[in-house]
Amino acid sequence: MHGRPRKTAKAEDLVASAAKAEKLRQLQSQLLRNHNDRIYNKEALEICSKLLEVNPEVYTAWNYRKLAVQSNLESCGDHEVVQSIVNQELKIAEIALRRNPKCYGAWQHRKWILNLGSDKADFDQEFRLLDQLLKADSRNFHGWNHRRFVVALKNVKEEEELNFTTEKINTNFSNYSAWHNRSVILSHLMKQNAPGFDPREKVLTEELEFIHQALFTDPDDQSGWFYHLWLLDQIIARDSPFLISSWPAHGTELILSSNTSVKDFQHFESTEYAQDIRALPIVLYFNQAVKGVNSTTVTVESIFTENVDLIWKPLSASNSVEAHCWVTYLNISERDCNSLEPYSIKVSFGNTQGLVSSDGCPLSYACQCEFSLKISPHSPGSCSKESNVNMVHWDNENFSRSEFLQIRPFLMSYQRQKIIANSELLISEWCSETLSREIMLFRKLISEINCKIAKLTLGRLLIARNFILSRGIQLTKNRTHFEETLQLYDDLIRLDPSHIGYYKDQRSLVLMDQVTSDEESLRKHCWLPKELSLTSAGQSVCLRLNKLSLTRIGFVERLLWVNVLDLSHNELQSVEGLEAMQLLSHLNLSHNKLSSMTALEPLRPMISLQALDISYNEIGAHSIDTKRYQCASSPLSHPAGTCGDVQGFEDFDPEEVKLYWDAILIFKHLHLTQLDVVGNPILNEPFSSLMIRLVPSLQWLDGRPAQQS
């Protein structure tokens, strides 16, 4: 057991241990011979029983007994003999469990036997055994798992099991397993709207009062805090997915042009697929990962492309068919660039089945977003990008503030109310009041004692309150507590350095929420670029989130309009989330903590990206970097014989593939004109040469013309 000092063995103990080992080897040899010869007689089973008495962890012995039981049952149909076999196997498993209550093989064998002969099992004896084992160790999760299995097999009422958890918790409120079992039972009862468990608000209020007794009795015990976290999730969570942001937003007026700027219009820099074709992305961002987004479940009405021809793609760093964010592209050809009249485009979904969450919950409402697109006249060839582009500089002197900077047309989050106006997403008064009461309660607690987990819970409550105030309604000034929440996580970083990574991630999300919470906050981080070659984008705004100590990116659903983003001088190890920002053309990730090229995998679907700065990170610093093989594009993540990106290496030297396969898979999808990699250990002459060949559109590499690099 943990914490027990190891004692020096005595001579007689060593002799006994050697004798036991010799006996064990003999029994194992006999078992393997019987197993190989398929001998299932009484003598062979007795040898197996003796072996399991000595060492119940021999999995082969349990599998051998299963084969023996199946063989003996096939050869005998007598009821009494079958009953005898079931009882004998249950007895063998019980002996093993009394020797080792956490033996996986014994629990699985007992479960298998009960499934095989449930009509012949003594369930009263089963519950008596479980009671004895749980009294000896109330947190034995094997016992609790088996109890749930037996309860389901016997059809015991869930209300009775809920009372059982209450008894166990009253006996010892540090019983994590009892709290967990209680959450499982209550989840099912509330979902089924069982009598006495509806409305859920009443049930959750009673459970909060119940858990408070445990939390305030011993605030340092973590069992009750985990249950409180589960209750918090029940208060704010919704099963059904809903749309929280989109681009273009509902009611937006767009001008698609390469050289025009018109006041009060949303502008978009086109992405060129061919000389006479441009692509307009349509982005849908949901509150949770969804699947089934296709031309059947989502209808796009426009003159440019038939709805059935549109292909919706999940924007996710993994190869999953589920994602928070989905995108499709409207191809706009040269012949559409001559009309002066705006075109209306409608996006609707929720009218047909198929679009569901990862748990299978469908949308609870239908939604429609409508925007207009005006294609500005242009001279022949203006749809094409210039053959030469200026190099982008990210120095402070290349950006300026403007008191008259108008960013409201860009703020997608303000359209949220229109998106879900007809949905039933307004937060109940009970939910808001409950969270407010909990916040007051835990503020009082941490004013009396210095409890880490109480501070963490208060931080989570404050985040939850801000979340519900922004869900289903326009962002308002009522969303406060940012400074208080940030201070709580600063305290936790100081008090609990062993979990500093988690605290920094949560702090980063709070900070991102604060920065993007309203127009006033966001305006402080918006700058006008002086030298960026973005004349085709109209009024370009650079969102500068640099030097904020960010370790994680969040709330990108509010930033879908951004085309210039500065995330330099942070502590980012991943850029997950940026894949949703389909308008992003210029991105600065310099001076972060990116350790490998695979950390850039979310950038692969960003077809508009032109300038990327990843200088002064840690790419290539680690001789053994296992994260390289955890990404979705890793060759190790593809089963043998599958197609895909793994087949894209044939044009490269085998030595290049060996060293830079992750860079090849990521950069071959991008159409960059500028790349900065200086300051990373991976940079050398072979790597620079590879980048120039890999990205034909590249004109600037590490501050010099690509041809000279």
Side-chain angles (χ1 to χ4, degrees):
M1 296 295 290
H2 299 291
R4 294 185 182 181
R6 180 174 295 180
K7 298 180 181 179
T8 303
K10 298 179 181 179
E12 54 269 25
D13 294 334
L14 293 174
V15 174
S17 178
K20 180 180 178 181
E22 179 60 29
K23 179 181 179 182
L24 185 61
R25 282 192 290 268
Q26 293 177 0
L27 291 172
Q28 286 178 330
S29 297
Q30 291 176 299
L31 171 72
L32 292 175
R33 282 197 298 271
N34 292 333
H35 193 0
N36 184 65
D37 296 337
R38 299 183 182 181
I39 300 174
Y40 304 126
N41 55 33
K42 184 177 180 180
E43 291 74 16
L45 287 173
E46 286 180 356
I47 292 172
C48 181
S49 300
K50 291 179 181 179
L51 174 60
L52 290 172
E53 288 179 14
V54 177
N55 182 13
E57 298 290 351
V58 182
Y59 279 29
T60 304
W62 292 113
N63 291 332
Y64 170 77
R65 295 199 74 87
K66 290 181 178 64
L67 294 173
V69 168
Q70 289 177 331
S71 176
N72 292 332
L73 289 179
E74 289 174 359
S75 61
C76 178
D78 185 83
H79 176 78
E80 293 183 359
V81 175
V82 173
Q83 183 71 56
S84 175
I85 292 174
V86 171
N87 291 340
Q88 178 64 20
E89 293 305 308
L90 291 175
K91 182 179 179 181
I92 294 297
E94 180 178 342
I95 293 172
L97 290 172
R98 292 190 183 279
R99 181 176 180 84
N100 181 4
K102 296 184 178 181
C103 176
Y104 283 86
W107 283 113
Q108 290 299 320
H109 189 72
R110 194 170 189 86
K111 183 177 180 179
W112 183 79
I113 289 295
L114 289 174
N115 261 327
L116 196 65
S118 59
D119 57 329
K120 303 172 182 62
D122 184 353
F123 284 103
D124 292 335
Q125 170 59 24
E126 204 68 19
F127 282 114
R128 283 194 294 270
L129 174 64
L130 285 169
D131 286 341
Q132 293 173 10
L133 292 173
L134 291 177
K135 283 181 181 178
D137 181 4
S138 61
R139 300 179 64 169
N140 185 343
F141 69 89
H142 298 278
W144 282 97
N145 286 339
H146 191 72
R147 184 179 180 91
R148 281 191 288 272
F149 165 74
V150 174
V151 164
L153 205 59
K154 194 184 177 184
N155 293 321
V156 177
K157 292 183 178 180
E158 289 183 305
E159 292 82 352
E160 295 181 16
E161 277 303 288
L162 189 65
N163 293 334
F164 178 78
T165 65
T166 304
E167 294 175 5
K168 287 296 181 182
I169 291 169
N170 288 334
T171 301
N172 177 15
F173 61 77
S174 184
N175 192 335
Y176 175 83
S177 297
W179 288 114
H180 171 70
N181 205 43
R182 189 175 187 85
S183 67
V184 173
I185 296 171
L186 274 177
S187 295
H188 189 256
L189 289 172
M190 289 190 295
K191 189 174 183 179
Q192 298 297 322
N193 295 323
F197 296 89
D198 185 41
R200 60 186 289 120
E201 289 81 2
K202 175 177 176 294
V203 177
L204 294 174
T205 300
E206 293 174 350
E207 289 301 304
L208 284 171
E209 294 175 357
F210 184 45
I211 192 61
H212 289 162
Q213 300 175 33
L215 298 182
F216 284 83
T217 301
D218 185 2
D220 291 325
D221 185 84
Q222 296 189 11
S223 300
W225 291 105
F226 282 109
Y227 187 71
H228 186 274
L229 178 61
W230 175 80
L231 289 175
L232 175 61
D233 185 58
Q234 301 308 302
I235 293 171
I236 66 174
R238 282 184 58 88
D239 293 331
S240 299
F242 57 90
L243 187 71
I244 60 175
S245 185
S246 68
W247 197 93
H250 180 74
T252 302
E253 295 177 307
L254 299 177
I255 285 184
L256 184 59
S257 174
S258 58
N259 56 5
T260 308
S261 177
V262 181
K263 184 179 179 181
D264 297 331
F265 274 65
Q266 176 79 27
H267 299 279
F268 166 71
E269 183 179 14
S270 62
T271 299
E272 186 175 335
Y273 277 154
Q275 187 174 2
D276 61 342
I277 295 180
R278 292 175 290 178
L280 175 73
I282 298 178
V283 181
L284 301 178
Y285 204 108
F286 297 87
N287 69 314
Q288 57 182 288
V290 298
K291 56 186 177 181
V293 180
N294 51 51
S295 59
T296 302
T297 57
V298 180
T299 301
V300 179
E301 301 177 30
S302 76
I303 68 165
F304 304 111
T305 309
E306 292 292 333
N307 181 63
V308 294
D309 296 329
L310 293 177
I311 299 176
W312 287 90
K313 299 178 181 179
L315 293 177
S316 172
S318 65
N319 285 332
S320 174
V321 296
E322 304 171 358
H324 284 261
C325 189
W326 289 73
V327 66
T328 191
Y329 301 93
L330 283 181
N331 290 331
I332 302 172
S333 63
E334 183 74 18
R335 65 176 180 274
D336 298 318
C337 297
N338 297 318
S339 175
L340 299 178
E341 296 297 323
Y343 299 100
S344 176
I345 300 174
K346 296 181 181 180
V347 182
S348 57
F349 56 87
N351 297 309
T352 58
Q353 296 181 349
L355 200 164
V356 297
S357 68
S358 56
D359 295 329
C361 295
L363 289 170
S364 58
Y365 65 95
C367 179
Q368 177 174 296
C369 305
E370 184 174 358
F371 60 93
S372 64
L373 174 64
K374 183 178 180 180
I375 303 176
S376 177
H378 56 273
S379 59
S382 63
C383 288
S384 303
K385 295 180 181 177
E386 299 178 6
S387 57
N388 295 305
V389 296
N390 296 327
M391 186 174 65
V392 175
H393 297 277
W394 294 96
D395 301 328
N396 290 335
E397 55 267 23
N398 292 307
F399 296 90
S400 64
R401 288 190 179 277
S402 173
E403 296 181 0
F404 305 101
L405 179 61
Q406 297 296 319
I407 63 172
R408 178 173 290 273
F410 298 107
L411 300 182
M412 298 299 101
S413 55
Y414 281 109
Q415 304 296 333
R416 191 178 307 178
Q417 184 177 10
K418 295 180 181 179
I419 290 175
I420 57 178
N422 296 323
S423 64
E424 300 177 359
L425 299 178
L426 294 179
I427 304 304
S428 69
E429 184 178 350
W430 169 85
C431 181
S432 180
E433 291 178 352
T434 298
L435 289 177
S436 297
R437 284 197 303 269
E438 292 294 296
I439 289 171
M440 292 177 60
L441 195 64
F442 289 110
R443 278 176 176 162
K444 181 179 179 182
L445 178 61
I446 64 174
S447 69
E448 298 174 353
I449 60 171
N450 190 20
C451 178
K452 291 184 295 185
I453 198 165
K455 288 178 179 285
L456 178 59
T457 300
L458 178 58
R460 287 167 170 166
L461 286 166
L462 293 171
I463 292 173
R465 185 178 182 276
N466 275 349
F467 170 73
I468 66 165
L469 288 177
S470 66
R471 189 178 71 181
I473 59 176
Q474 189 172 2
L475 299 181
T476 68
K477 292 184 179 180
N478 292 328
R479 302 177 67 245
T480 56
H481 310 310
F482 288 120
E483 296 302 327
E484 180 182 2
T485 311
L486 291 172
Q487 184 59 53
L488 285 169
Y489 281 109
D490 286 338
D491 292 344
L492 288 167
I493 290 172
R494 176 176 51 84
L495 293 171
D496 187 15
S498 61
H499 298 97
I500 189 172
Y502 172 78
Y503 298 141
K504 282 189 173 183
D505 281 353
Q506 295 305 304
R507 188 187 187 282
S508 297
L509 292 178
V510 175
L511 193 56
M512 288 287 294
D513 190 10
Q514 181 185 34
V515 168
T516 62
S517 61
D518 53 48
E519 183 177 358
E520 181 181 354
S521 300
L522 197 55
R523 187 189 298 275
K524 298 176 183 178
H525 297 271
C526 289
W527 296 67
L528 289 176
K530 294 180 180 179
E531 297 183 0
L532 293 185
S533 179
L534 293 174
T535 57
S536 58
Q539 184 189 37
S540 298
V541 176
C542 177
L543 183 62
R544 305 196 73 188
L545 302 180
N546 55 326
K547 299 180 180 180
L548 296 178
S549 299
L550 297 176
T551 61
R552 184 177 176 184
I553 302 168
F555 297 94
V556 292
E557 69 272 13
R558 303 175 188 172
L559 306 176
L560 302 183
W561 52 274
V562 174
N563 55 16
V564 185
L565 179 62
D566 185 356
L567 288 168
S568 63
H569 295 87
N570 283 298
E571 300 176 23
L572 296 172
Q573 298 183 43
S574 168
V575 295
E576 185 176 358
L578 291 185
E579 63 272 10
M581 301 175 66
Q582 287 291 294
L583 303 189
L584 203 58
S585 60
H586 293 71
L587 175 62
N588 186 1
L589 293 170
S590 64
H591 297 276
N592 276 281
K593 295 185 177 180
L594 303 174
S595 61
S596 68
M597 284 295 173
T598 53
L600 303 174
E601 187 167 15
L603 305 184
R604 294 177 69 197
M606 297 173 63
I607 60 176
S608 297
L609 193 61
Q610 299 174 28
L612 175 62
D613 189 344
I614 54 173
S615 60
Y616 299 100
N617 276 274
E618 302 172 6
I619 301 174
H622 308 284
S623 57
I624 300 178
D625 187 3
T626 56
K627 292 182 180 179
R628 297 182 71 201
Y629 304 98
Q630 296 174 357
C631 69
S633 59
S634 166
L636 298 181
S637 68
H638 295 264
T642 59
C643 300
D645 290 326
V646 181
Q647 296 182 350
F649 293 124
E650 57 269 12
D651 296 331
F652 299 92
D653 183 85
E655 190 63 26
E656 287 182 327
V657 174
K658 180 180 178 181
L659 294 174
Y660 307 122
W661 61 264
D662 43 0
I664 294 172
L665 289 175
I666 291 170
F667 283 98
K668 75 174 185 177
H669 291 274
L670 302 179
H671 306 283
L672 300 175
T673 58
Q674 177 176 332
L675 175 64
D676 293 282
V677 194
V678 66
N680 287 283
I682 196 174
L683 183 63
N684 53 30
E685 186 61 33
F687 181 82
S688 298
S689 175
L690 173 64
M691 289 297 102
I692 294 173
R693 289 184 286 114
L694 186 62
V695 187
S697 57
L698 196 63
Q699 298 189 27
W700 299 95
L701 179 61
D702 289 327
R704 295 184 297 173
Q707 295 79 5
Q708 300 178 13
S709 298

